[in-house]
Amino acid sequence: MTGKRKITGARIFDGIDWHDGCALLIEAGHVKGIVASGASGDAETIDARGLLLVPGFIDLQVNGGGGALLNEEPTLDGIRQICAAHAKFGTTALLPTLITDTREIRTKSIEAGVAARAAAVPGFLGLHLEGPHLSVARKGAHDPALIRPMEDADLTEMLACVNALGSLMVTVAPENTTKEQVRALADAGIVVSLGHTDVGFETACAYAKAGARTVTHLFNAMSGLGHREPGVVGAALATGTLHAGIIADGFHVDPASMGIALRGKRGPAQIFLVTDAMSPIGTDMTSFFLNGREILRKDGRLTLADGTLAGADIDMLSSVRFVHEKLGLPMEEAIRMASAYPADVMGIASHKGRLLPGTDADFVLLTPELGMKSTWIGGERVFAA
Ligand SMILES: [Zn+2]
């Protein structure tokens, strides 16, 4: 961890601008700076000629990977497996995400998250609890029998674990969560995301004022944008303080709607990429189980028996490629959607999401065509293609 390293020869994107003819200097796991290539010193030199060096990807919604699903394996090993699987696709920080489940599984997941933080599992950023305080009307693949209102004990449990976890995001629906609860969560530094909700524009805006910071998988499992009722989608686009995660696999949201949302989003909050990935990522699994229900993997989709989409079969690098190649976004903006913007959502921009002096040396080396070469977390190579 103490080593000085110098990555030379790559085009470097620091999250803001490109740097040509420069080297990335790393010391003790952090970025020391981006310097003219010639300067040498005692650093170990890594030749990255012809490659792109970009900030590591940050995925705020990851249910599983490498064969492990947090709901089914709420353990330290399960989290290790998920983080390692996504590192192969450029993700250097992620929130293992628990889909609505029983109280016991939630408590076990929180304990596993606390253990992962204590063990400094590479890539572990914190947890995302998606549910159970959602709307049955917009349940998606969540088991309606497990959806329920937020009680005092739920709030207490979440407030008690945020510091030990490092970061915590919770997806809630106003139908089963009060504004006062949202305020209490936000005041404690928990990132509240509105999702799986059928409320209208006014209510969504009121919850944003109460402290909600983002919305969960924009367009999916929420009231849509109508001409007289702008819905949660309208609230997310029209409210400058609300960020919005989006799944860029081409199945969850039509590329035309994605383009409209990106052009219509009011800042400074931004639309960012999430994978919503499940256990099969990085494996050849063709099915798996969630709360005892079988989910099938076919042709890039994951579905319940009735055809309901149940998470996504996409990794973060493919998501970046999708918005760059299919939507025509400039490469740097596609990369920001996977790194700088999610860091902003979580309030961790001072150390992750960009490669600036003092930030964590979390980065990815890619070919100019956005092919995978290697992934680095805290200045250490954790994956090489
Ligand atoms: Zn969801």
Side-chain angles (χ1 to χ4, degrees):
M1 260 325 217
T2 53
K4 291 184 189 173
R5 296 213 165 97
K6 190 166 86 164
I7 321 282
T8 62
R11 277 202 89 195
I12 301 173
F13 180 61
D14 62 10
I16 300 160
D17 290 314
W18 289 99
H19 303 266
D20 291 294
C22 290
L24 180 76
L25 271 190
I26 302 166
E27 197 174 307
H30 294 85
V31 173
K32 186 95 193 297
I34 295 170
V35 299
S37 234
S40 182
D42 55 348
E44 175 197 348
T45 300
I46 290 136
D47 184 358
R49 245 174 302 172
L51 300 178
L52 305 176
L53 190 164
V54 309
F57 304 143
I58 301 174
D59 193 345
L60 305 184
Q61 189 166 5
V62 190
N63 311 293
L69 192 70
L70 184 61
N71 287 70
E72 302 295 315
E73 286 183 75
T75 63
L76 176 58
D77 273 354
I79 289 176
R80 273 190 203 284
Q81 224 173 314
I82 294 169
C83 292
H86 286 272
K88 295 179 181 172
F89 305 100
T91 297
T92 55
L94 61 78
L95 299 178
T97 301
L98 186 72
I99 296 164
T100 295
D101 212 313
T102 62
R103 289 170 196 272
E104 292 71 24
I105 295 288
R106 181 167 73 175
T107 300
K108 274 190 186 160
S109 299
I110 291 171
E111 287 166 2
V114 169
R117 176 116 195 282
V121 171
F124 177 78
L125 180 63
L127 281 189
H128 179 168
L129 302 173
E130 190 191 19
H133 317 300
L134 307 176
S135 162
V136 172
R138 294 284 181 176
K139 65 184 188 309
H142 292 243
D143 184 347
L146 296 171
I147 290 176
R148 58 186 180 79
M150 189 184 295
E151 295 167 9
D152 288 345
D154 300 310
L155 184 62
T156 304
E157 183 175 43
M158 289 187 270
L159 295 177
C161 69
V162 57
N163 288 335
L165 282 172
S167 288
L168 176 60
M169 173 180 273
V170 295
T171 293
V172 300
E175 289 94 325
N176 267 324
T177 312
T178 68
K179 284 204 282 285
E180 291 67 32
Q181 289 170 329
V182 167
R183 173 56 63 201
L185 292 164
D187 283 350
I190 295 167
V191 176
V192 177
S193 188
L194 302 177
H196 288 271
T197 172
D198 205 35
V199 295
F201 179 82
E202 293 294 339
T203 304
C205 290
Y207 272 71
K209 277 208 183 74
R213 246 175 111 78
T214 182
V215 305
T216 296
H217 43 53
L218 184 67
F219 289 110
N220 297 115
M222 63 177 60
S223 51
L225 172 63
H227 65 313
R228 294 206 174 91
E229 170 45 76
V232 178
V233 171
L237 298 182
T239 307
T241 56
L242 269 182
H243 301 261
I246 200 161
I247 304 170
D249 63 354
F251 298 116
H252 279 76
V253 184
D254 190 278
S257 299
M258 288 185 72
I260 291 165
L262 286 162
R263 290 189 295 278
K265 177 74 186 103
R266 182 176 182 187
Q270 300 279 352
I271 295 174
F272 60 97
L273 295 171
V274 297
T275 61
D276 202 11
M278 303 289 262
S279 45
I281 281 294
T283 76
D284 55 7
M285 292 163 73
T286 54
S287 70
F288 61 99
F289 282 86
L290 168 64
N291 325 115
R293 297 167 302 164
E294 189 173 30
I295 294 175
L296 303 171
R297 179 193 210 186
K298 200 169 177 242
D299 303 329
R301 297 175 194 240
L302 304 173
T303 56
L304 292 171
D306 67 2
T308 303
L309 284 175
D313 190 10
I314 194 165
D315 60 75
M316 197 51 113
L317 181 56
S318 302
S319 306
V320 169
R321 259 192 239 123
F322 186 90
V323 294
H324 175 52
E325 292 167 7
K326 295 282 193 320
L327 298 184
L329 249 66
M331 190 185 290
E332 51 273 24
E333 188 62 10
I335 292 166
R336 284 187 198 107
M337 286 179 72
S339 50
Y341 299 157
D344 295 342
V345 174
M346 297 310 294
I348 55 171
S350 62
H351 59 285
K352 289 197 188 291
R354 295 167 181 85
L355 297 170
L356 304 174
T359 61
D360 298 344
D362 294 357
F363 59 92
V364 193
L365 288 173
L366 303 170
T367 67
E369 298 75 32
L370 297 179
M372 191 65 210
K373 290 304 274 190
S374 58
T375 303
W376 301 67
I377 298 177
E380 300 294 323
R381 191 168 62 193
V382 296
F383 173 74

